[in-house]
Amino acid sequence: MDVHFSMSSFLSIVLQALLSSSHGSLEPYDLLYNNAVDAFYRSDYKDVVRYMEGALSSYAVVRQTKVRCRLRCQDQHPFDSVTMDLQFFDVVLRRSNCQNECVEEKVGTQSMHKVSEDVNQDFQRRIPYNYLQLAYQKLKQLDKAAAAAHTYFQANPEHVEMDQNLEQYKALEGTDQDHFVDREARPHQRSFSAGVKLYDSADYKGAIAQFEEALQEYYKADVECRALCQGPQRFEEQDHVLYRYSLYELVSDHFTQALHCEHECVRDLSTRPGRLSPMENYLPLHYDYLQFAYFQMNMVEEAMECAQSYLLFHEGDEFMTENVEYYREAVGHDVKPREKAEWYLRRHKQELELLVIGSENMHVEFTEGHYWTSTGGREDSNRIPSGTDGWMEYVPISEKKNFTLAPPQELREGGPLVYDSVQLVQNSKALNGTQRVLLDDVISVDECAKLTNLAHTVTMAGDGYRGKMSPHTPNERFEGATVLKTLQYGYEGRVPLKSARLFYDASERARRIIESYFLLNSTLHFSYTHLVCRTAIAGQQDHRNDLSHPIHADNCLLDPEANECWKEPPAYTYRDYSALLYLNGDFEGGEFIFTEMDAKTVTAQVKPKCGRMVGFSSGGENPHGVRAVTRGQRCAVALWFTLDPLFRELERLQADEVMQALDNQSSQSQWDTSLNINPKDEL
């Protein structure tokens, strides 16, 4: 059975059925997603599947509906005939009204509400499939569990436990290779990958069919991507509650954001799920593969057409030019490039130039019936076209900032520990790394007990995490509080003020130790301070092999497959040092681990206990994570520091003011009880 065909056919039928209904029955995908998560915590795995599959279907329908409606309204209300400002605004308003009416007609008003950014990010990161694979596993539907696990892993290749799950599924009786399908595979990338495999096996006829399909799907995906850019835009740099610019400036800002979104489509279509950078030379490679595959099938005119198309993107390329000359002599006349390629390049030349420059590519040159590589060596019939040695990494030179092993100053360690009670347990050498330290007795047993009790009181009061009580694994509950929040509770009498002050003082003690031990020649500032507990959820620990916190680095985006760590947003690139001060050890699991950049090879392991602290530099030299907490509750003070005063923690500065007021025994301390504090998920 062709699994890809049946899966896509099924989805197509579902979409058509749902889209054909008017005023509908489509339930909002964020509501379905929330119901599925609730069902997971109730261990109602049938409902998990029902709601989560419904959420995924609803999400796909809403997306496809927006594409269709925006393209239809774009055709009905074009800008081509606009000659005056008022006509332009008239088209904008008519197009917007058309889109809203169209979407409402297809999916119903209830599915048109604004979905939170967190939920949309979960769908983009394929988080629903993590829940699904666990639910299907519990229901003994291993074929579906394998597909869900494979789908999730494609976008989260750093997830070591899911990799292990997949290996276990492959070893189980009742599962076969056809079950490991990517349910979210993008058609243009799937066809391209299939074409490469057929090409490598010398099945040139099959490869041609796949590459031609990949081109059609690519151009279709490009149209859809640009259509999705036509909707409301986010203005992150401006507060539009206070935004008082003119109508012209508002419209200009909107279309600037929309153009930026469209500009990113070329990059997006060239990037595999889970990868940080697009494949260099992606679109031209289709024509490069095709020109040689057609040549192998003795279809020389088609080969020449594809070679000419490639030259549109790489004008004057020496080896492809020589191929064209060879083809021209063989057919006896000239052949033009493909019209679609010419049209696309005219419209998107600037965007494409970012992804096709800088390649020292291999091409085929034909001479006297033989073909030769650019290095002069004779090749066999499985010649690999230019730039196809895997999915290549690419970031424009101005943006490429992968990590350096050293922080922005000389690497040193071994300074004084500041406090007499603190004991050095292991240095970097003993921990098999660089800029690492393990210390004991940073705080006393009594202080651990007070901070643990504080955590139980403050975190149970609920800091929300934007609704995410299990941001890292569905098998644990994650709760925490900031210094300022804790001091506020102490000031209000909801927790002992001495305990709240202890949290503040203990974090300052940790900062001073890290600053001194690593012999930093400038002040280390707080970037973020978090009192956090992870609690194993009863009934969800059987056969568990995921992590409490996946392997990551604190100031860069870890790419285990490429052995790189990209220092770029959304990573907290300004963080320089990190520390974890543990409050207890009476739980199972929960070991802190350092790994190599492959996110698999463990280099050191730390068992938490009261008063123990691990400190390290925050870059790609120190990937780390937390093993699963399988019983009990693990509490710690998590700390991140920066050497740049511009990135000091705002809440810490406010906490400093509160402490100063308390030290001055001021009964009239200024306090804003309406502070809107929304702590971040621990990274």
Side-chain angles (χ1 to χ4, degrees):
M1 181 179 69
D2 188 337
V3 178
H4 291 311
F5 176 79
S6 61
M7 186 78 67
S8 60
S9 298
F10 174 75
L11 180 59
S12 177
I13 292 171
V14 171
L15 288 174
Q16 290 178 7
L18 288 169
L19 289 173
S20 63
S21 63
S22 61
H23 297 293
S25 50
L26 187 66
E27 292 187 69
Y29 60 87
D30 54 341
L31 176 61
L32 292 167
Y33 180 46
N34 186 65
N35 290 343
V37 174
D38 287 344
F40 185 88
Y41 290 129
R42 298 195 310 270
S43 299
D44 186 349
Y45 299 112
K46 289 185 178 179
D47 266 3
V48 172
V49 169
R50 180 165 67 92
Y51 285 123
M52 199 65 82
E53 292 288 11
L56 289 166
S57 295
S58 179
Y59 179 77
V61 169
V62 170
R63 182 187 185 279
Q64 194 60 37
T65 300
K66 287 180 179 178
V67 169
R68 293 183 180 183
C69 288
R70 288 173 184 177
L71 290 176
R72 190 181 82 180
C73 295
Q74 176 180 296
D75 291 339
Q76 290 179 358
H77 304 284
F79 288 118
D80 299 347
S81 59
V82 171
T83 58
M84 300 173 59
D85 287 353
L86 289 179
Q87 289 179 324
F88 171 79
F89 292 130
D90 180 67
V91 172
V92 169
L93 294 174
R94 289 182 183 277
R95 183 181 290 187
S96 176
N97 185 61
C98 172
Q99 292 174 0
N100 290 336
E101 289 183 349
C102 177
V103 173
E104 183 176 349
E105 177 187 355
K106 299 298 182 184
V107 301
T109 306
Q110 60 183 355
S111 290
M112 290 185 64
H113 69 283
K114 184 175 178 59
V115 177
S116 76
E117 192 62 26
D118 285 336
V119 170
N120 282 323
Q121 286 182 1
D122 278 1
F123 276 79
Q124 291 165 13
R125 293 169 53 209
R126 304 189 181 183
I127 301 299
Y129 289 98
N130 194 5
Y131 286 99
L132 274 178
Q133 75 95 15
L134 292 167
Y136 279 128
Q137 183 188 76
K138 295 288 187 181
L139 295 172
K140 308 300 182 184
Q141 299 180 37
L142 298 183
D143 54 341
K144 295 179 180 179
H150 182 78
T151 302
Y152 176 81
F153 187 68
Q154 296 308 300
N156 300 273
E158 78 290 347
H159 202 284
V160 179
E161 291 66 42
M162 191 64 78
D163 191 16
Q164 295 171 349
N165 287 353
L166 285 168
E167 292 302 319
Q168 291 179 9
Y169 287 135
K170 291 174 183 177
L172 290 174
E173 186 177 350
T175 60
D176 56 51
Q177 192 59 40
D178 287 343
H179 294 145
F180 296 89
V181 295
D182 182 359
R183 292 178 50 181
E184 295 287 336
R186 306 169 87 175
H188 69 283
Q189 292 183 354
R190 183 174 61 211
S191 297
F192 180 82
S193 297
V196 172
K197 290 179 181 178
L198 292 170
Y199 182 98
D200 289 341
S201 63
D203 182 356
Y204 298 112
K205 182 178 180 181
I208 287 170
Q210 289 295 331
F211 286 127
E212 293 289 10
E213 182 178 342
L215 280 172
Q216 292 182 18
E217 293 292 348
Y218 177 92
Y219 291 125
K220 177 183 175 182
D222 182 85
V223 170
E224 292 184 353
C225 179
R226 295 173 193 278
L228 289 171
C229 290
Q230 295 178 22
Q233 300 296 321
R234 297 178 63 195
F235 295 82
E236 296 180 349
E237 297 179 359
Q238 297 147 337
D239 182 357
H240 271 61
V241 175
L242 305 175
Y243 196 70
R244 302 188 184 282
Y245 295 113
S246 69
L247 175 62
Y248 291 93
E249 289 168 312
L250 283 168
V251 172
S252 175
D253 278 354
H254 169 82
F255 281 100
T256 298
Q257 295 281 355
L259 286 171
H260 174 74
C261 175
E262 290 192 30
H263 186 84
E264 289 297 304
C265 284
V266 170
R267 175 182 294 273
D268 176 65
L269 296 179
S270 305
T271 305
R272 283 194 304 173
R275 299 302 295 270
L276 303 175
S277 303
M279 180 182 179
E280 187 177 337
N281 206 32
Y282 178 67
L283 180 58
L285 274 176
H286 292 68
Y287 296 108
D288 194 2
Y289 271 113
L290 280 169
Q291 64 97 17
F292 192 73
Y294 276 124
F295 170 76
Q296 289 291 335
M297 296 298 296
N298 200 30
M299 302 171 69
V300 183
E301 285 199 20
E302 290 82 354
M304 185 176 180
E305 180 185 51
C306 292
Q308 292 278 41
S309 299
Y310 184 92
L311 285 174
L312 293 174
F313 302 93
H314 293 281
E315 186 176 355
D317 181 274
E318 177 183 358
F319 299 104
M320 192 63 77
T321 300
E322 291 174 357
N323 286 358
V324 169
E325 290 300 322
Y326 175 86
Y327 295 138
R328 186 177 288 115
E329 290 181 11
V331 300
H333 59 84
D334 204 359
V335 177
K336 293 183 178 180
R338 293 190 176 181
E339 291 183 3
K340 188 71 172 181
E342 288 185 303
W343 173 85
Y344 191 76
L345 187 62
R346 281 197 306 269
R347 293 178 64 92
H348 310 304
K349 183 176 181 180
Q350 184 180 16
E351 303 162 35
L352 285 162
E353 282 177 348
L354 291 175
L355 302 182
V356 299
I357 61 174
S359 302
E360 295 181 2
N361 297 328
M362 181 189 298
H363 296 278
V364 176
E365 175 186 4
F366 301 102
T367 308
E368 297 180 356
H370 302 294
Y371 40 97
W372 304 78
T373 68
S374 56
T375 57
R378 186 174 297 187
E379 281 288 319
D380 60 25
S381 60
N382 289 325
R383 195 275 311 186
I384 299 177
S386 54
T388 58
D389 53 339
W391 288 78
M392 300 174 66
E393 298 295 335
Y394 174 77
V395 177
I397 299 300
S398 61
E399 297 178 20
K400 195 168 186 178
K401 300 176 182 176
N402 61 316
F403 83 95
T404 57
L405 287 179
Q409 55 184 323
E410 182 185 357
L411 288 178
R412 297 185 297 170
E413 64 176 283
L417 299 178
V418 185
Y419 302 93
D420 293 338
S421 64
V422 179
Q423 302 295 317
L424 175 64
V425 180
Q426 290 179 302
N427 59 14
S428 291
K429 184 176 181 180
L431 290 167
N432 301 312
T434 178
Q435 295 284 275
R436 301 175 180 178
V437 66
L438 183 63
L439 307 165
D440 274 349
D441 300 323
V442 174
I443 57 176
S444 68
V445 173
D446 181 60
E447 289 172 325
C448 286
K450 289 179 179 177
L451 288 176
T452 302
N453 290 333
L454 177 69
H456 292 161
T457 304
V458 177
T459 59
M460 288 302 290
D463 272 338
Y465 302 99
R466 299 179 182 175
K468 293 184 178 181
M469 298 308 293
S470 301
H472 305 302
T473 169
N475 299 304
E476 296 174 21
R477 189 172 69 251
F478 181 89
E479 299 164 311
T482 62
V483 168
L484 184 59
K485 186 77 168 182
T486 306
L487 285 173
Q488 181 178 1
Y489 278 24
Y491 185 85
E492 295 171 349
R494 299 166 69 177
V495 298
L497 184 56
K498 287 185 177 180
S499 296
R501 294 188 62 148
L502 176 60
F503 179 19
Y504 178 93
D505 292 337
S507 59
E508 173 59 23
R509 190 182 311 173
R511 186 198 68 80
R512 292 189 63 197
I513 293 171
I514 296 297
E515 182 183 83
S516 177
Y517 177 79
F518 288 112
L519 297 167
L520 302 178
N521 54 20
S522 58
T523 302
L524 198 61
H525 305 279
F526 287 97
S527 166
Y528 194 60
T529 312
H530 207 194
L531 178 60
V532 59
C533 294
R534 303 165 183 270
T535 308
I537 297 176
Q540 292 182 202
Q541 306 304 316
D542 293 343
H543 310 296
R544 180 182 171 192
N545 59 4
D546 66 328
L547 292 180
S548 174
H549 197 150
I551 305 299
H552 64 286
D554 286 338
N555 72 10
C556 54
L557 302 174
L558 191 63
D559 187 353
E561 189 173 342
N563 271 322
E564 295 281 2
C565 202
W566 304 99
K567 203 161 184 180
E568 58 189 37
Y572 297 96
T573 57
Y574 47 83
R575 289 176 176 171
D576 295 301
Y577 283 87
S578 308
L580 291 157
L581 173 58
Y582 300 109
L583 306 183
N584 67 320
D586 55 340
F587 52 86
E588 291 182 3
E591 295 88 355
F592 176 93
I593 54 175
F594 286 113
T595 73
E596 299 285 2
M597 265 201 294
D598 61 6
K600 296 180 181 180
T601 306
V602 176
T603 57
Q605 177 171 295
V606 174
K607 177 64 178 176
K609 71 174 187 176
C610 167
R612 173 165 286 179
M613 184 172 79
V614 60
F616 50 94
S617 55
S618 303
E621 67 278 5
N622 283 320
H624 57 280
V626 179
R627 293 195 189 278
V629 178
T630 55
R631 185 185 65 81
Q633 184 180 66
R634 175 191 190 270
C635 293
V637 176
L639 302 139
W640 294 269
F641 307 103
T642 179
L643 293 165
D644 189 341
L646 292 176
F647 293 100
R648 288 178 294 177
E649 181 182 13
L650 177 60
E651 289 190 18
R652 187 77 192 197
L653 297 177
Q654 294 174 303
D656 291 341
E657 294 177 0
V658 174
M659 289 296 294
Q660 184 177 1
L662 291 172
D663 288 340
N664 293 334
Q665 297 181 344
S666 171
S667 60
Q668 301 297 323
S669 299
Q670 295 296 316
W671 190 269
D672 181 2
T673 57
S674 64
L675 283 172
N676 183 19
I677 302 170
N678 188 12
K680 307 166 188 173
D681 290 345
E682 182 186 11
L683 290 181

